[in-house]
Amino acid sequence: MKNRLSYRLQNISFSQTIAMSSKARELKNKGHDVINLSLGEPDFYPPNFVLSAAKKAIDEGYHYYTPVSGYLELKKVICEKFHRDNHLKYNPYQIVVSTGAKQAIMNVLLSLLNRDDEVIIPAPYWVSYLQMVKICESNPVIIPTVMKNNFKINPEQLEKAITSKTKLFIFSTPCNPTGSVYSYDELKNLAEVFKKYPEIMILSDEIYEHICYSEKHTSIAIFPNIYHQVITVNGLSKAFSMTGWRIGYIGAPKWIAESCDKIQGQMTSCANSIAQIAAITALSSHPSKIEYMIKEFKKRRNLVLDMIKEIDGFQFYQPNGAFYIFPKVSNFFGQKLHGKMIKNSDEFSEFLLEQSKVATVSGSAFGNNECLRISYASSEEKIIEAFTRIKKILN
Ligand code: PMP
Ligand code: GLU
């Protein structure tokens, strides 16, 4: 029978982060002692004060559809948050609250992209950007980066990638999967390029903004000349360890916010009402309230750096944000490990899962097939056990 799936879908892959995590879960259910360092999901419980707010919201009767773009009170709190943490000025009509940052990003892409538009994405990139662009039938233009430059692009690379078809630039800082963080000066230099191309929009994914270990996070929208080109994306999944609550949001030019509101009104009506009320409490609290989690991530990052040094053949650089390390594992390609020839990062990741029962994600999912993504959003105990197993199997 003829393939009845849309052309759009025939070209799309499953999310490899989610696929690897499901695989790990399946093996676990079959009784294997799997350590899952594949998914970027903090293992903390959400803060108690946020949980209390959600329970109260249930008791107080927040059971109904909310305005499509979110409760006005939440949008006001988001504006205050942007001002407090990012020195950005947004008005409530520039805010749209969505079902996770994932939906927020998809709303923006659907608002902007036509078939054959070009979207510049530095690699390594977060797994879903590429597929989302393809869903919109646009063309990703990838700028490769190297570990030597902490996986960051420079203004020359950016300018070289721009063509008359460029519609959008997408990046994350702190970056998933590399953990690199763009400095104020680096962003300023990129902003100088964007200033010359006012038609190009910039989607700045800042979902890891609080998970920064050295210098403070900077939002690219703070550069006044390009403020009107930027869509700032954020959410509660990482900072508040609320992945399942599904709250993400954008601050954007009014015309983009209106369009996201229109799309969302047709697709989901609104984000979850109870989670929105909890988000009011979460986002109106000072970031110092979640510092205990950041400190713990930093401890884990340092632990990972100590342990990874002990593994022969891994090349890595120190991540300064998010909760991933992205080592180069290409030294193992072309080698036989425990009787199995390893040709690429997919096979290397498979090998680790089969032989040491440690789940990671192949760098190919993020546009770099020499590396491997290891998430350290798990407990110290699990990290120690995982790296001990990897070391044992490889050294
Ligand atoms: N952007 C990045 C860079 C991410 O790592 C994630 C993780 N899921 C998301 C967006 C989406 O987050 P969520 O939909 O859970 O808010
Ligand atoms: N962002 C997380 C990750 O990269 C969660 C999974 C996903 O949404 O892709 O692992």
Side-chain angles (χ1 to χ4, degrees), residues 345-383:
S345 64
D346 293 356
E347 291 184 3
F348 189 77
S349 170
E350 281 293 324
F351 168 80
L352 291 185
L353 183 60
E354 274 167 25
Q355 296 290 327
S356 53
K357 301 287 177 284
V358 177
T360 56
V361 185
S362 164
S364 65
F366 311 95
N368 178 318
N369 50 27
E370 294 191 317
C371 294
L372 184 75
R373 192 189 78 174
I374 306 176
S375 158
Y376 52 87
S378 294
S379 67
E380 280 190 31
E381 198 191 338
K382 285 189 183 157
I383 292 169

Side-chain angles (χ1 to χ4, degrees), residues 40 99-103 105 126 129 172 176 205 207-208 235-238 243 246-248 324:
T99 303
K102 230 175 208 175
Q103 191 193 19
I105 295 169
W126 178 48
Y129 297 153
S172 61
N176 176 4
D205 183 345
I207 195 154
Y208 296 96
L236 265 63
S237 286
K238 315 293 166 170
T243 47
R246 313 304 302 125
I247 294 289
Y324 310 101

